[in-house]
Amino acid sequence: MICSSKFRFSFWLVQGIVAAALVFSAARGGSAHIGRPALPWSAAEVIHIDREQPLRIEPLYDDSELVSDAELTAVLKQVQPRFPQKQMKPNYVEHALRIWGVDAEFKDTEVLSGAQLRDFLIDHGRYLASWGDSMEPLLVESRQGVEVRWGKEEGASVHHDHWLACLTEAGVPLHQPIYTPAKHTRTINDALQQALRDFRVDEREVEWSAMAFGFWIPPVKSWQTLDGRTVSFDMIAHRLMRGDKKFGVCSGTHRVYSLAVLLRLDDQYSLLSPAVREESRQHLLAVKQLITESQFEDGHWPSNWEMGAEAVSHPIDDPLHKQVIATGHHLEWLAIAPEEFHPPREQIRKAARWAIDTAVSRTPAQILEHYTFFSHVGGALSLWRKSRPADFWHTHEPDPVAAVDADAEAE
Amino acid sequence: MSTTLEVQSPDSQAPGGVLVDRTPFCLRLPRVIPAFVALIGGLFWSYSYQRLHHTDLWGHLAYGRIICETSSLPATEPLMPLAEGVPLVDTAWLAQVLGYRVMAQWGPAGVQFLHAATIAACLALVAGGLYRRTHSFLFSVLGLGLFETLNWFQFQIVRPQMGGLVCFTLLTSLLTTRRWHKLHWVAIPTTLAIWANLHGSFIVGLVLLGCATIGRGVDVWRRTNRVSSMFRDRHARRLLLTTELAAAATLLNPYGLRLYAEVLSFSGNQNLQDLIEWNSLNFRSMQGQLAAGTALALAIVYRLSPRRVSAGELLALVVLGAAGMWSARMLIWWTPLAVACFVLHAHAAWRRFHPLVNFQPPVRSGKWAVVTVGLVWICFAWTPFGLHLLHGKTIDLKRCVSAHTPVAATAWLREHPPTGQVFNTYEWGDYLLWQGPPHLKIFVDSQAHLVPREVWRDYMAVISVMSGWNDNFDRYGVQTIIIDKAERGALIAKLKDDTHWKRRYEDSLAVIFTRQTATTTPEKPHP
């Protein structure tokens, strides 16, 4: 006999104590509430999304003095998604989709509809048809979701979570299927959950993530990322305000836009704490002051708008497309921001005038070269008419044949 | 009348005319005890005057302060605004609370005393273990000297790890007693339970127990050449069950099983790779050379020693040695074992050539007990803590802290509280948290593993003056910079030439710059 009865008793007693300790510890989970450790085998946290359609921020103003119907029609005509079918750039498609929306329809068959734009982004087959199989796929399937290849590489989405934010702004529903290269079907929800898990507060660009999360997850205000960090909209707002205003996508203007979005969403869902809301307000008031001072006589805002009056007194060599970026983006966030954050209306009208003239006077090739920047001008001007480009276009779209005749006559 | 004090056994009759030692036998001590007390007490006294290091001690006190003030453990990192929301498993919460309580009650002298007391406890346990097994004062002192030398660098810094070292030496001492006492069943799990709350190094204790258990099994198997004997051996079974009980006891902590996940994943944190003490052991460093020398000496005494080498000690030496080579910070757990093994086998080798004849147990006397108490009292009373307690003497903080502590610069910051983000060197983050103005938004502190990877990379880019280093100040909206002159000379020179920054304060240790023009909206202090 290997074991004596005394040892056997001790052995089982100790096993009982150990098992009880393990069960007690696991059941209790520790009295201190801490973030879920990043264990590879642990199930990822899923944020329950309470809606099938993303939230929308309604534009606040209808100012026909700022942009008339005819002017808006002319600008929207310029920014129609008329892209070559081969090697369509995801970044362009994303920009077109976000302003036109999934419902956009065009009489001109050469222009891509909202559904075609959407499908290019969410169906690997469409992407494959445009880029061929030598290009890495745009969609990357992961164990629990779907990721998007982004960065400066060819055929990639340029900004992190820009793909998701644009589909969200375009009104794609939560359970819209996504067709991955592995021939599996995922949904926007899967992509969103993946983005929520992967989000890192300190990554270079949080503007697009902030918007996508803001439009989908309220009233949820905080969640845990894959590394266990608890992220809240307060932290995102702080991150958007952090540091010099020159930093960030599109001369720092997207940070302002995302902050304005969060403030508007906060009106409805109290996403921010009172202290952070007040900080955000003060931040936008500071931006208001800077753009009030940095506008040039012709109405445009320079890319170094954050320098305020100094940007005008010591102008830099600012290429036109950078002026379009700054002016278009500022017009865009101002269209959804309460009036307390506005410079005098005359200044905004002046900026709009410059943007309209610049957009309308470009050739289609010039527009295509900087489509992403001009798309913001189109989107912004529509918002200033309390409308969306697709809705406005639906009622104001000229007959394509007549338009061609008119163009020929003009030439 | 004779003044000779003859030693009596309790039942012996006193001869006429001789002073009788009427001290109860249990209180009598052999003369070796006051000798050890003098030696260890001297070291204790010396360490009680050791200046408090300028690094992580202050951060631990700051965590202790938060725990005491809120009566709860913070779930996320509470001190570094840039690490907001990062989950915090405070593996040293008990040591932090203890340290803070001592600091709040007795000031820096109390912390110095606590530090000296932990070192003295380790030394006493090591010395006791060695003397018990060699009966040689000289070899025990040799062991103490080795232990002190190998750990000299680690002993300079007051940190919760010292509490872990006390537990480790106590565990080693319990495992090497000649006879297994019933008390062991309680003492070993209790030690591990306390250790798990004092410091994350409790895993080392379990490793040691595991090595002892496996080692015992291997020894039995080698002796009997039968595997089944391993399970029949009483001591092997005891060790196995005690290890299990100890592992269960470590779950008595606020985080339960999560503590294990935290401790086991800790060393994998990428930020730690930038810190020298977490790097693998470098044999160009003094610590590495000492360790290599010890390993060589061990190999020699093993060759000469007639003493049987147990599989447990070899296994523990190899496992903990490998851990020390993997990360220099882990070397502290190898040294007590290495010292014990070296001394035991060196003594055995010595006895091989100088056999002991007619060994007499040491004579116990009340006189030595009195001398011991006197020595203890002297060693205690002359410490800053003793002086504070007995005479109410308080010591200026400046005289208690290391020469690299930015005392004056921090005082300047208190007089001119910065708004917005502060950039500080990693080494000073903790002191700034403790002594700086309230709600100071430090960039990093010594809890590097809690700093988000991106923030840490940006921090490293700045202090290494890598390309784009100054952009990071703008990105984070840094308004104030406090850096040390000793290590950051290149950065200071760059900042002095940069018109965006104005030098506002400078002393022999530190320079403080503030931004010339505000780049961010004035921010509220971090709550």
Side-chain angles (χ1 to χ4, degrees), chain A residues 1-2 7 14-15 18 21 25 28-35 200 202 204 228-230 235 242-244 246-247 283, chain B residues 75 82-89 232 237 244 253-258 452 454-455 474-477 519-521:
Chain A
M1 195 172 92
I2 288 176
F7 171 68
V14 170
Q15 305 317 308
V18 172
S25 181
R28 190 165 132 269
S31 60
H33 297 283
I34 54 160
R200 297 185 69 83
D202 302 291
R204 279 291 156 108
R229 189 172 188 181
T230 304
M235 286 163 69
R242 185 160 93 189
D244 198 304
K246 72 183 173 190
F247 292 109
H283 187 87
Chain B
L82 293 174
E84 185 185 354
V86 172
L88 171 65
V89 177
R232 278 211 193 102
R237 294 189 314 209
E244 284 188 75
N253 74 78
Y255 303 98
L257 272 172
R258 287 174 181 170
E454 296 84 356
V455 177
D474 295 340
R475 282 188 193 284
Y476 287 90
T519 58
T520 51
T521 317

Short mmCIF file of all heavy atoms in Angstrom, two decimals, chain A residues 1-2 7 14-15 18 21 25 28-35 200 202 204 228-230 235 242-244 246-247 283, chain B residues 75 82-89 232 237 244 253-258 452 454-455 474-477 519-521:
data_model
loop_
_atom_site.label_atom_id
_atom_site.label_comp_id
_atom_site.label_asym_id
_atom_site.label_seq_id
_atom_site.Cartn_x
_atom_site.Cartn_y
_atom_site.Cartn_z
N MET A 1 0.85 -1.19 0.00
CA MET A 1 0.00 0.00 0.00
C MET A 1 0.88 1.24 0.00
O MET A 1 1.75 1.39 0.85
CB MET A 1 -0.88 -0.02 1.24
CG MET A 1 -2.02 0.96 1.16
SD MET A 1 -3.15 0.74 2.55
CE MET A 1 -2.47 1.88 3.71
N ILE A 2 0.64 2.07 -0.97
CA ILE A 2 1.49 3.24 -1.10
C ILE A 2 1.20 4.26 -0.01
O ILE A 2 2.09 4.80 0.61
CB ILE A 2 1.33 3.87 -2.49
CG1 ILE A 2 1.99 2.95 -3.52
CG2 ILE A 2 1.96 5.24 -2.56
CD1 ILE A 2 1.82 3.38 -4.92
N PHE A 7 -2.37 9.55 5.75
CA PHE A 7 -1.96 10.41 4.64
C PHE A 7 -3.12 10.63 3.67
O PHE A 7 -3.31 11.72 3.14
CB PHE A 7 -0.77 9.79 3.90
CG PHE A 7 -0.45 10.52 2.62
CD1 PHE A 7 0.06 11.81 2.68
CD2 PHE A 7 -0.72 9.96 1.39
CE1 PHE A 7 0.33 12.51 1.52
CE2 PHE A 7 -0.45 10.66 0.23
CZ PHE A 7 0.08 11.94 0.28
N VAL A 14 -6.46 18.39 2.02
CA VAL A 14 -5.75 19.49 1.34
C VAL A 14 -6.36 19.74 -0.04
O VAL A 14 -6.57 20.89 -0.43
CB VAL A 14 -4.24 19.16 1.23
CG1 VAL A 14 -3.55 20.16 0.31
CG2 VAL A 14 -3.60 19.19 2.60
N GLN A 15 -6.70 18.64 -0.75
CA GLN A 15 -7.31 18.83 -2.07
C GLN A 15 -8.63 19.59 -1.94
O GLN A 15 -8.97 20.45 -2.75
CB GLN A 15 -7.56 17.49 -2.79
CG GLN A 15 -6.35 16.60 -2.94
CD GLN A 15 -5.09 17.34 -3.37
OE1 GLN A 15 -5.09 18.07 -4.34
NE2 GLN A 15 -4.02 17.15 -2.59
N VAL A 18 -7.85 23.27 -1.30
CA VAL A 18 -7.39 23.92 -2.54
C VAL A 18 -8.56 24.14 -3.50
O VAL A 18 -8.73 25.22 -4.05
CB VAL A 18 -6.27 23.08 -3.21
CG1 VAL A 18 -5.94 23.64 -4.58
CG2 VAL A 18 -5.04 23.05 -2.33
N ALA A 21 -10.74 26.89 -2.25
CA ALA A 21 -10.11 28.20 -2.46
C ALA A 21 -10.23 28.62 -3.91
O ALA A 21 -10.53 29.79 -4.21
CB ALA A 21 -8.63 28.12 -2.05
N SER A 25 -12.41 31.75 -5.07
CA SER A 25 -11.70 32.85 -5.74
C SER A 25 -12.28 33.12 -7.12
O SER A 25 -12.48 34.27 -7.51
CB SER A 25 -10.22 32.48 -5.86
OG SER A 25 -9.53 33.52 -6.47
N ARG A 28 -15.84 34.63 -6.80
CA ARG A 28 -15.82 35.99 -6.27
C ARG A 28 -15.17 36.94 -7.27
O ARG A 28 -15.52 38.11 -7.34
CB ARG A 28 -15.02 35.96 -4.96
CG ARG A 28 -15.05 37.19 -4.14
CD ARG A 28 -14.54 36.82 -2.75
NE ARG A 28 -13.55 37.77 -2.31
CZ ARG A 28 -12.25 37.63 -2.50
NH1 ARG A 28 -11.79 36.62 -3.20
NH2 ARG A 28 -11.40 38.52 -2.04
N GLY A 29 -14.27 36.41 -8.04
CA GLY A 29 -13.58 37.23 -9.04
C GLY A 29 -12.72 38.31 -8.43
O GLY A 29 -12.36 39.28 -9.07
N GLY A 30 -12.40 38.15 -7.16
CA GLY A 30 -11.59 39.18 -6.50
C GLY A 30 -12.51 40.31 -6.06
O GLY A 30 -13.41 40.69 -6.80
N SER A 31 -12.34 40.81 -4.87
CA SER A 31 -13.23 41.86 -4.37
C SER A 31 -12.96 43.19 -5.06
O SER A 31 -13.82 44.05 -5.12
CB SER A 31 -13.05 42.02 -2.87
OG SER A 31 -11.72 42.37 -2.59
N ALA A 32 -11.76 43.36 -5.60
CA ALA A 32 -11.46 44.60 -6.29
C ALA A 32 -11.94 44.47 -7.74
O ALA A 32 -11.66 43.48 -8.40
CB ALA A 32 -9.96 44.87 -6.26
N HIS A 33 -12.69 45.44 -8.19
CA HIS A 33 -13.19 45.38 -9.57
C HIS A 33 -12.13 45.91 -10.50
O HIS A 33 -11.82 47.09 -10.48
CB HIS A 33 -14.48 46.18 -9.69
CG HIS A 33 -15.56 45.61 -8.85
ND1 HIS A 33 -16.26 44.49 -9.21
CD2 HIS A 33 -16.02 45.97 -7.63
CE1 HIS A 33 -17.13 44.21 -8.26
NE2 HIS A 33 -17.00 45.08 -7.29
N ILE A 34 -11.60 45.03 -11.28
CA ILE A 34 -10.55 45.44 -12.19
C ILE A 34 -10.90 45.02 -13.59
O ILE A 34 -11.79 44.22 -13.80
CB ILE A 34 -9.18 44.83 -11.80
CG1 ILE A 34 -9.31 43.32 -11.69
CG2 ILE A 34 -8.67 45.42 -10.53
CD1 ILE A 34 -7.99 42.63 -11.80
N GLY A 35 -10.15 45.58 -14.51
CA GLY A 35 -10.40 45.27 -15.91
C GLY A 35 -10.11 43.82 -16.22
O GLY A 35 -9.32 43.17 -15.56
N ARG A 200 -7.37 52.30 -29.20
CA ARG A 200 -6.32 52.74 -28.26
C ARG A 200 -6.37 54.26 -28.19
O ARG A 200 -6.25 54.95 -29.20
CB ARG A 200 -4.94 52.26 -28.72
CG ARG A 200 -4.82 50.74 -28.74
CD ARG A 200 -3.44 50.28 -29.07
NE ARG A 200 -2.50 50.59 -28.00
CZ ARG A 200 -2.30 49.83 -26.92
NH1 ARG A 200 -2.99 48.73 -26.77
NH2 ARG A 200 -1.42 50.18 -26.02
N ASP A 202 -4.42 56.42 -27.26
CA ASP A 202 -3.23 57.21 -27.60
C ASP A 202 -2.74 56.98 -29.01
O ASP A 202 -1.64 57.45 -29.36
CB ASP A 202 -2.13 56.90 -26.59
CG ASP A 202 -2.59 57.22 -25.19
OD1 ASP A 202 -2.77 58.41 -24.90
OD2 ASP A 202 -2.83 56.30 -24.41
N ARG A 204 -2.51 57.59 -33.05
CA ARG A 204 -2.38 58.89 -33.70
C ARG A 204 -3.72 59.52 -34.08
O ARG A 204 -3.93 60.70 -33.99
CB ARG A 204 -1.49 58.76 -34.95
CG ARG A 204 0.00 58.75 -34.63
CD ARG A 204 0.44 60.12 -34.14
NE ARG A 204 1.64 60.03 -33.32
CZ ARG A 204 2.84 60.43 -33.70
NH1 ARG A 204 3.01 60.94 -34.89
NH2 ARG A 204 3.86 60.34 -32.89
N GLY A 228 -7.85 45.55 -21.66
CA GLY A 228 -8.45 45.73 -20.34
C GLY A 228 -8.66 47.17 -19.95
O GLY A 228 -9.21 47.45 -18.89
N ARG A 229 -8.22 48.10 -20.79
CA ARG A 229 -8.35 49.51 -20.43
C ARG A 229 -9.81 49.94 -20.55
O ARG A 229 -10.48 49.62 -21.53
CB ARG A 229 -7.47 50.36 -21.34
CG ARG A 229 -7.38 51.80 -20.90
CD ARG A 229 -6.37 52.57 -21.71
NE ARG A 229 -6.17 53.90 -21.14
CZ ARG A 229 -5.36 54.81 -21.63
NH1 ARG A 229 -4.63 54.51 -22.69
NH2 ARG A 229 -5.22 55.99 -21.06
N THR A 230 -10.26 50.68 -19.57
CA THR A 230 -11.62 51.22 -19.63
C THR A 230 -11.56 52.56 -20.35
O THR A 230 -10.83 53.46 -19.94
CB THR A 230 -12.17 51.41 -18.21
OG1 THR A 230 -12.10 50.15 -17.54
CG2 THR A 230 -13.61 51.88 -18.24
N MET A 235 -12.71 60.39 -21.92
CA MET A 235 -11.30 60.22 -22.30
C MET A 235 -11.10 60.56 -23.77
O MET A 235 -10.08 61.16 -24.14
CB MET A 235 -10.85 58.78 -22.03
CG MET A 235 -10.65 58.50 -20.54
SD MET A 235 -10.59 56.74 -20.17
CE MET A 235 -9.04 56.31 -20.94
N ARG A 242 -6.41 67.21 -26.78
CA ARG A 242 -5.04 67.17 -26.25
C ARG A 242 -4.05 67.83 -27.21
O ARG A 242 -4.09 67.60 -28.41
CB ARG A 242 -4.65 65.72 -26.02
CG ARG A 242 -3.32 65.53 -25.36
CD ARG A 242 -3.25 64.17 -24.74
NE ARG A 242 -2.66 63.19 -25.65
CZ ARG A 242 -2.65 61.89 -25.41
NH1 ARG A 242 -3.21 61.40 -24.32
NH2 ARG A 242 -2.10 61.06 -26.26
N GLY A 243 -3.17 68.61 -26.65
CA GLY A 243 -2.03 69.13 -27.41
C GLY A 243 -2.37 70.26 -28.36
O GLY A 243 -3.46 70.84 -28.32
N ASP A 244 -1.40 70.55 -29.19
CA ASP A 244 -1.52 71.65 -30.14
C ASP A 244 -2.63 71.37 -31.15
O ASP A 244 -2.76 70.24 -31.62
CB ASP A 244 -0.18 71.83 -30.86
CG ASP A 244 -0.09 73.20 -31.51
OD1 ASP A 244 -0.98 73.52 -32.31
OD2 ASP A 244 0.86 73.93 -31.21
N LYS A 246 -2.83 72.08 -34.12
CA LYS A 246 -2.38 71.81 -35.50
C LYS A 246 -2.35 70.30 -35.79
O LYS A 246 -2.35 69.89 -36.95
CB LYS A 246 -1.01 72.41 -35.74
CG LYS A 246 0.13 71.69 -35.04
CD LYS A 246 1.45 72.38 -35.25
CE LYS A 246 2.53 71.73 -34.39
NZ LYS A 246 3.77 72.48 -34.38
N PHE A 247 -2.28 69.50 -34.73
CA PHE A 247 -2.16 68.06 -34.95
C PHE A 247 -3.51 67.44 -35.27
O PHE A 247 -4.55 67.91 -34.84
CB PHE A 247 -1.56 67.38 -33.72
CG PHE A 247 -0.13 67.74 -33.49
CD1 PHE A 247 0.23 68.55 -32.43
CD2 PHE A 247 0.85 67.29 -34.35
CE1 PHE A 247 1.55 68.90 -32.23
CE2 PHE A 247 2.18 67.63 -34.15
CZ PHE A 247 2.53 68.45 -33.09
N HIS A 283 -13.04 74.61 -25.37
CA HIS A 283 -12.14 74.29 -26.48
C HIS A 283 -12.72 74.81 -27.79
O HIS A 283 -12.02 75.45 -28.59
CB HIS A 283 -11.93 72.78 -26.56
CG HIS A 283 -10.89 72.36 -27.55
ND1 HIS A 283 -9.55 72.29 -27.25
CD2 HIS A 283 -10.99 72.01 -28.86
CE1 HIS A 283 -8.88 71.91 -28.30
NE2 HIS A 283 -9.73 71.74 -29.31
N ALA B 75 -9.35 50.60 -9.02
CA ALA B 75 -9.54 49.60 -10.07
C ALA B 75 -8.72 49.94 -11.31
O ALA B 75 -8.33 49.07 -12.07
CB ALA B 75 -11.01 49.51 -10.43
N LEU B 82 -2.26 60.15 -18.08
CA LEU B 82 -2.15 59.55 -19.41
C LEU B 82 -2.40 58.05 -19.40
O LEU B 82 -2.49 57.43 -20.45
CB LEU B 82 -0.75 59.84 -20.00
CG LEU B 82 -0.48 61.32 -20.32
CD1 LEU B 82 0.96 61.53 -20.75
CD2 LEU B 82 -1.42 61.83 -21.40
N ALA B 83 -2.50 57.49 -18.21
CA ALA B 83 -2.80 56.05 -18.11
C ALA B 83 -4.20 55.85 -17.54
O ALA B 83 -4.51 54.78 -17.03
CB ALA B 83 -1.77 55.36 -17.24
N GLU B 84 -5.02 56.85 -17.66
CA GLU B 84 -6.38 56.76 -17.14
C GLU B 84 -7.09 55.54 -17.76
O GLU B 84 -6.98 55.30 -18.96
CB GLU B 84 -7.15 58.04 -17.51
CG GLU B 84 -8.54 58.10 -16.92
CD GLU B 84 -9.31 59.32 -17.40
OE1 GLU B 84 -8.72 60.17 -18.09
OE2 GLU B 84 -10.51 59.41 -17.09
N GLY B 85 -7.79 54.82 -16.93
CA GLY B 85 -8.57 53.68 -17.42
C GLY B 85 -7.77 52.38 -17.52
O GLY B 85 -8.36 51.33 -17.73
N VAL B 86 -6.46 52.46 -17.37
CA VAL B 86 -5.64 51.23 -17.45
C VAL B 86 -5.89 50.41 -16.19
O VAL B 86 -5.79 50.93 -15.08
CB VAL B 86 -4.13 51.57 -17.59
CG1 VAL B 86 -3.29 50.32 -17.49
CG2 VAL B 86 -3.88 52.30 -18.89
N PRO B 87 -6.25 49.13 -16.34
CA PRO B 87 -6.57 48.34 -15.15
C PRO B 87 -5.36 48.19 -14.23
O PRO B 87 -4.25 47.98 -14.71
CB PRO B 87 -7.01 46.99 -15.71
CG PRO B 87 -6.46 46.93 -17.09
CD PRO B 87 -6.36 48.32 -17.58
N LEU B 88 -5.62 48.32 -12.96
CA LEU B 88 -4.53 48.24 -11.98
C LEU B 88 -4.75 47.05 -11.06
O LEU B 88 -5.76 46.99 -10.36
CB LEU B 88 -4.47 49.54 -11.17
CG LEU B 88 -3.53 49.54 -9.97
CD1 LEU B 88 -2.08 49.41 -10.42
CD2 LEU B 88 -3.69 50.81 -9.15
N VAL B 89 -3.83 46.11 -11.10
CA VAL B 89 -3.81 45.03 -10.11
C VAL B 89 -2.64 45.37 -9.19
O VAL B 89 -1.49 45.22 -9.56
CB VAL B 89 -3.60 43.66 -10.79
CG1 VAL B 89 -3.50 42.57 -9.74
CG2 VAL B 89 -4.76 43.36 -11.72
N ARG B 232 5.83 7.30 -1.13
CA ARG B 232 5.80 6.74 0.22
C ARG B 232 6.52 7.64 1.20
O ARG B 232 6.25 7.59 2.39
CB ARG B 232 6.48 5.37 0.22
CG ARG B 232 5.58 4.26 -0.24
CD ARG B 232 5.97 2.97 0.47
NE ARG B 232 5.33 1.86 -0.19
CZ ARG B 232 5.94 1.05 -1.03
NH1 ARG B 232 7.21 1.20 -1.28
NH2 ARG B 232 5.30 0.06 -1.59
N ARG B 237 5.70 13.87 0.82
CA ARG B 237 4.25 14.08 0.86
C ARG B 237 3.91 15.35 1.62
O ARG B 237 3.04 16.12 1.21
CB ARG B 237 3.58 12.86 1.53
CG ARG B 237 3.72 11.62 0.68
CD ARG B 237 2.91 10.45 1.17
NE ARG B 237 3.00 10.18 2.61
CZ ARG B 237 2.85 8.98 3.14
NH1 ARG B 237 2.64 7.94 2.37
NH2 ARG B 237 2.90 8.80 4.44
N GLU B 244 0.69 22.81 -1.96
CA GLU B 244 -0.70 23.01 -2.38
C GLU B 244 -1.41 24.00 -1.46
O GLU B 244 -2.11 24.91 -1.91
CB GLU B 244 -1.45 21.69 -2.38
CG GLU B 244 -1.12 20.80 -3.56
CD GLU B 244 -2.04 19.59 -3.60
OE1 GLU B 244 -3.20 19.76 -3.98
OE2 GLU B 244 -1.59 18.50 -3.23
N ASN B 253 -6.19 37.16 -1.33
CA ASN B 253 -5.78 38.51 -1.70
C ASN B 253 -6.98 39.17 -2.38
O ASN B 253 -7.91 38.47 -2.80
CB ASN B 253 -4.55 38.45 -2.63
CG ASN B 253 -4.93 37.99 -4.02
OD1 ASN B 253 -5.45 38.76 -4.81
ND2 ASN B 253 -4.70 36.72 -4.32
N PRO B 254 -6.98 40.47 -2.51
CA PRO B 254 -8.18 41.14 -3.04
C PRO B 254 -8.50 40.80 -4.49
O PRO B 254 -9.59 41.08 -4.95
CB PRO B 254 -7.83 42.63 -2.92
CG PRO B 254 -6.68 42.71 -2.02
CD PRO B 254 -5.96 41.42 -2.10
N TYR B 255 -7.54 40.22 -5.20
CA TYR B 255 -7.77 39.98 -6.63
C TYR B 255 -7.99 38.51 -6.95
O TYR B 255 -8.29 38.16 -8.09
CB TYR B 255 -6.57 40.49 -7.44
CG TYR B 255 -6.28 41.95 -7.21
CD1 TYR B 255 -5.29 42.34 -6.32
CD2 TYR B 255 -7.01 42.93 -7.86
CE1 TYR B 255 -5.04 43.68 -6.09
CE2 TYR B 255 -6.76 44.27 -7.64
CZ TYR B 255 -5.77 44.64 -6.74
OH TYR B 255 -5.52 45.96 -6.51
N GLY B 256 -7.79 37.65 -5.97
CA GLY B 256 -7.98 36.22 -6.20
C GLY B 256 -7.05 35.69 -7.27
O GLY B 256 -5.86 36.04 -7.31
N LEU B 257 -7.60 34.90 -8.17
CA LEU B 257 -6.79 34.27 -9.23
C LEU B 257 -6.18 35.29 -10.18
O LEU B 257 -5.16 35.02 -10.83
CB LEU B 257 -7.67 33.31 -10.03
CG LEU B 257 -7.78 31.88 -9.51
CD1 LEU B 257 -8.83 31.12 -10.29
CD2 LEU B 257 -6.43 31.17 -9.61
N ARG B 258 -6.82 36.45 -10.29
CA ARG B 258 -6.31 37.47 -11.23
C ARG B 258 -4.90 37.92 -10.87
O ARG B 258 -4.15 38.40 -11.72
CB ARG B 258 -7.22 38.69 -11.23
CG ARG B 258 -8.52 38.44 -11.93
CD ARG B 258 -9.43 39.61 -11.78
NE ARG B 258 -10.70 39.37 -12.44
CZ ARG B 258 -11.76 40.12 -12.31
NH1 ARG B 258 -11.71 41.18 -11.53
NH2 ARG B 258 -12.86 39.85 -12.95
N PRO B 452 0.44 53.44 -21.15
CA PRO B 452 0.10 52.93 -22.49
C PRO B 452 1.32 52.93 -23.40
O PRO B 452 2.16 53.84 -23.33
CB PRO B 452 -0.95 53.94 -22.98
CG PRO B 452 -1.55 54.50 -21.74
CD PRO B 452 -0.43 54.55 -20.74
N GLU B 454 1.93 53.56 -26.47
CA GLU B 454 2.19 54.73 -27.33
C GLU B 454 2.79 55.87 -26.52
O GLU B 454 3.71 56.55 -26.98
CB GLU B 454 0.89 55.22 -27.99
CG GLU B 454 0.23 54.23 -28.94
CD GLU B 454 -0.66 53.22 -28.24
OE1 GLU B 454 -0.72 53.22 -27.00
OE2 GLU B 454 -1.27 52.40 -28.95
N VAL B 455 2.25 56.06 -25.33
CA VAL B 455 2.76 57.14 -24.47
C VAL B 455 4.20 56.85 -24.07
O VAL B 455 5.05 57.74 -24.09
CB VAL B 455 1.87 57.30 -23.20
CG1 VAL B 455 2.44 58.36 -22.27
CG2 VAL B 455 0.45 57.62 -23.60
N ASP B 474 4.27 69.11 -28.08
CA ASP B 474 3.07 69.76 -28.64
C ASP B 474 1.89 68.80 -28.69
O ASP B 474 0.76 69.17 -28.43
CB ASP B 474 3.36 70.28 -30.06
CG ASP B 474 4.42 71.38 -30.04
OD1 ASP B 474 4.63 71.97 -28.97
OD2 ASP B 474 5.04 71.62 -31.10
N ARG B 475 2.18 67.56 -29.04
CA ARG B 475 1.09 66.58 -29.15
C ARG B 475 0.38 66.37 -27.83
O ARG B 475 -0.82 66.17 -27.77
CB ARG B 475 1.64 65.23 -29.62
CG ARG B 475 1.93 65.17 -31.07
CD ARG B 475 2.29 63.77 -31.53
NE ARG B 475 2.84 63.83 -32.86
CZ ARG B 475 2.11 64.00 -33.95
NH1 ARG B 475 0.81 64.12 -33.85
NH2 ARG B 475 2.68 64.07 -35.14
N TYR B 476 1.17 66.36 -26.76
CA TYR B 476 0.57 66.12 -25.44
C TYR B 476 0.22 67.41 -24.72
O TYR B 476 -0.24 67.37 -23.58
CB TYR B 476 1.53 65.28 -24.58
CG TYR B 476 1.59 63.84 -25.03
CD1 TYR B 476 2.52 63.43 -25.97
CD2 TYR B 476 0.71 62.90 -24.53
CE1 TYR B 476 2.57 62.11 -26.41
CE2 TYR B 476 0.75 61.58 -24.96
CZ TYR B 476 1.69 61.19 -25.89
OH TYR B 476 1.73 59.88 -26.32
N GLY B 477 0.46 68.52 -25.37
CA GLY B 477 0.15 69.80 -24.72
C GLY B 477 0.97 70.02 -23.47
O GLY B 477 0.47 70.56 -22.48
N THR B 519 -0.47 76.51 -25.86
CA THR B 519 -0.97 75.89 -27.09
C THR B 519 -2.31 75.23 -26.88
O THR B 519 -2.95 74.82 -27.81
CB THR B 519 0.00 74.80 -27.58
OG1 THR B 519 0.15 73.86 -26.55
CG2 THR B 519 1.32 75.37 -27.98
N THR B 520 -2.69 75.13 -25.64
CA THR B 520 -3.96 74.43 -25.42
C THR B 520 -4.89 75.29 -24.60
O THR B 520 -4.48 76.25 -23.95
CB THR B 520 -3.72 73.13 -24.63
OG1 THR B 520 -2.96 73.46 -23.49
CG2 THR B 520 -3.02 72.10 -25.45
N THR B 521 -6.13 74.91 -24.63
CA THR B 521 -7.11 75.55 -23.77
C THR B 521 -6.69 75.27 -22.35
O THR B 521 -6.29 74.14 -22.05
CB THR B 521 -8.49 74.89 -24.01
OG1 THR B 521 -8.65 74.73 -25.40
CG2 THR B 521 -9.60 75.71 -23.42
#
